């Protein structure tokens, strides 16, 4: 019998993590480990997609207003400025709280782009999902809505696409008529979606004297919801100091009732009497901002009353995201 020839395996090429392509979850990992992709390099890729980014809008102009439009404001738009400028065939890019039929984005017949903010996202990074939707909308044919999908884990984020020096100036609308330039010629589906959205919209007004504060009207009482950029622990201490000293209200009949936590920022909420309008609260809000700045600058230990006030505020905190 002839001797069997010894078989020697050729060494597999060594790939760096950045060179390993994405394959099916049950396929062998291209790195050559012999394991399935989902149990090898696919694990890190899946974690990158699902890992929650606590402050997805950090670094963008108007971070507080991004949070407000994502979580609190029914109908608003903002003109966006791209880092590389607008393509020749796209006259404008507009962020909208909600789009008809819950579309993630829409390329209008005139070539302009609408990007929806309040849609569900597939990953833990809203910024990356929105950037992926925006890129696909910029490349879509006019008159085409953009559908949702899972964004690539290594895709760009809004921070990579938007002008970091661009203005972010929300315009709050009483309804969603901005969806359609010619409402009379809208499709029945869009008209029905518009009617439902307008019926559900809570009247909302953005204050002009302070940043990211939004008055809203409800059947029982009105509210002021104010997204603030300060670190949560420092802000809660400052609010507790003011609350214990009787300085946390916005005037007679108003009351600081707690706060939301949204996308890494804190949103104090005040109850207002039903007769108090957005214009009525402008001056009290500006005066509160001055008191808050003083309280934020203090590093003295909290007193017993202040600690109790802080505990009450913390107990009434709700996480939105």
């Amino acid at each position: 019998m002839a001797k069997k020839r010894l078989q020697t395996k050729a060494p597999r090429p060594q790939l760096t993590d950045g060179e390993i392509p994405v394959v099916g979850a049950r396929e062998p990992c291209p790195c050559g480990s012999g394991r399935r992709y989902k149990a090898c390099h696919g694990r890190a890729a899946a974690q990158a997609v699902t890992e929650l980014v606590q402050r997805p809008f950090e670094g963008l102009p108007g971070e507080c207003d991004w949070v407000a439009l994502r979580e609190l404001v029914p109908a608003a738009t903002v003109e966006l400025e791209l880092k590389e400028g607008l393509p020749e065939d796209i006259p404008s890019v507009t962020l909208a709280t909600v789009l008809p039929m819950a579309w993630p984005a829409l390329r209008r017949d005139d070539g302009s782009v609408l990007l929806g903010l309040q849609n569900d996202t597939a990953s833990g990074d809203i910024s990356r999902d929105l950037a992926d939707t925006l890129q696909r909308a910029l490349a879509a044919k006019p008159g085409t809505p953009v559908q949702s999908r899972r964004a690539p884990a290594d895709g760009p984020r809004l921070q990579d696409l938007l002008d970091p020096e661009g203005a972010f100036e929300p315009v709050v609308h009483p309804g969603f008529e901005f969806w359609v330039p010619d409402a009379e010629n809208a499709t029945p589906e869009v008209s029905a979606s518009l009617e439902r959205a307008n019926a559900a919209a809570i009247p909302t007004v953005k204050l002009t004297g302070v940043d990211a504060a939004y008055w809203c009207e409800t059947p029982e009482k009105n509210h002021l919801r104010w997204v603030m950029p300060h670190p949560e622990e420092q802000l809660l201490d400052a609010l507790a100091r003011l609350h214990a000293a009787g300085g946390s209200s916005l005037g007679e009949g108003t009351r600081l009732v707690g706060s939301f936590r949204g996308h890494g920022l804190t949103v104090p909420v005040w109850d207002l009497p039903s007769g108090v309008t957005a214009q009525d609260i402008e001056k009290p809000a500006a005066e509160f901002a001055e008191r808050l700045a003083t309280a934020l600058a203090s590093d003295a230990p909290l007193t017993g009353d202040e600690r109790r006030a802080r505990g009450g505020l913390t107990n009434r905190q709700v996480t939105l995201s």
Side-chain angles (χ1 to χ4, degrees):
M1 263 179 89
K3 291 185 178 179
K4 289 185 179 179
R5 211 175 249 242
L6 291 176
Q7 299 293 324
T8 59
K9 292 184 178 180
R12 292 181 179 269
Q14 295 298 310
L15 300 177
T16 65
D17 287 350
E19 296 173 332
I20 295 171
V22 175
V23 297
R26 294 181 175 275
E27 294 182 37
C29 187
C31 75
S33 66
R35 290 181 292 174
R36 290 179 177 176
Y37 179 69
K38 70 175 183 178
C40 192
H41 281 86
R43 180 181 299 170
Q47 182 177 357
V49 170
T50 58
E51 186 175 359
L52 179 64
V53 175
Q54 296 292 337
R55 288 179 62 179
F57 307 117
E58 184 176 15
L60 291 172
E63 180 188 6
C64 293
D65 284 309
W66 277 93
V67 173
L69 267 57
R70 167 76 182 182
E71 299 295 342
L72 307 174
V73 181
T77 56
V78 185
E79 295 299 313
L80 298 180
E81 300 179 35
L82 303 185
K83 187 177 292 187
E84 303 299 329
L86 292 174
E88 290 185 4
D89 59 340
I90 296 181
S92 63
V93 174
T94 303
L95 180 73
T97 47
V98 180
L99 294 181
M101 314 299 293
W103 288 325
L106 170 67
R107 180 90 185 272
R108 280 177 159 165
D109 291 334
D110 66 356
S112 61
V113 168
L114 288 177
L115 177 66
L117 179 59
Q118 293 183 8
N119 297 79
D120 292 336
T121 56
S123 80
D125 187 353
I126 296 170
S127 179
R128 196 179 309 281
D129 289 333
L130 288 171
D132 178 69
T133 301
L134 175 56
Q135 284 190 313
R136 290 186 291 124
L138 293 172
K141 294 181 179 179
T144 305
V146 175
Q147 303 301 326
S148 61
R149 75 168 188 182
R150 184 182 292 276
D154 58 350
R157 307 178 73 237
L158 287 173
Q159 289 81 347
D160 302 315
L161 302 183
L162 301 184
D163 184 353
E165 304 299 327
F168 192 84
E169 300 175 353
V171 176
V172 178
H173 303 277
F176 295 88
E177 281 72 21
F178 65 86
W179 282 354
V180 282
D182 185 5
E184 293 182 358
N185 295 322
T187 65
E189 292 82 2
V190 170
S191 296
S193 185
L194 176 61
E195 184 177 351
R196 289 193 300 270
N198 281 342
I202 296 174
T204 302
V205 176
K206 185 180 189 298
L207 299 195
T208 60
V210 295
D211 292 335
Y214 291 81
W215 170 95
C216 68
E217 180 183 19
T218 63
E220 298 296 327
K221 61 187 70 174
N222 298 343
H223 305 281
L224 183 72
R225 301 178 291 189
W226 192 341
V227 186
M228 296 187 173
H230 318 291
E232 181 179 3
E233 296 303 314
Q234 181 187 7
L235 177 58
L236 289 175
D237 282 353
L239 292 174
R241 295 180 198 279
L242 294 177
H243 198 65
S248 65
S249 76
L250 299 174
E252 184 177 355
T254 70
R255 186 167 68 99
L256 175 64
V257 293
S259 63
F260 298 128
R261 183 191 293 115
H263 305 291
L265 299 182
T266 303
V267 189
V269 178
W270 284 263
D271 279 351
L272 313 173
S274 57
V276 173
T277 67
Q279 184 61 41
D280 294 334
I281 214 68
E282 287 278 8
K283 183 179 179 181
E287 293 171 346
F288 176 85
E290 294 180 0
R291 297 196 299 274
L292 180 63
T294 300
L296 285 166
S298 174
D299 58 0
L302 296 181
T303 66
D305 287 343
E306 291 168 348
R307 287 196 301 273
R308 284 188 287 274
R310 193 185 194 284
L313 291 172
T314 303
N315 290 338
R316 296 192 298 274
Q317 193 173 48
V318 176
T319 300
L320 297 177
S321 58

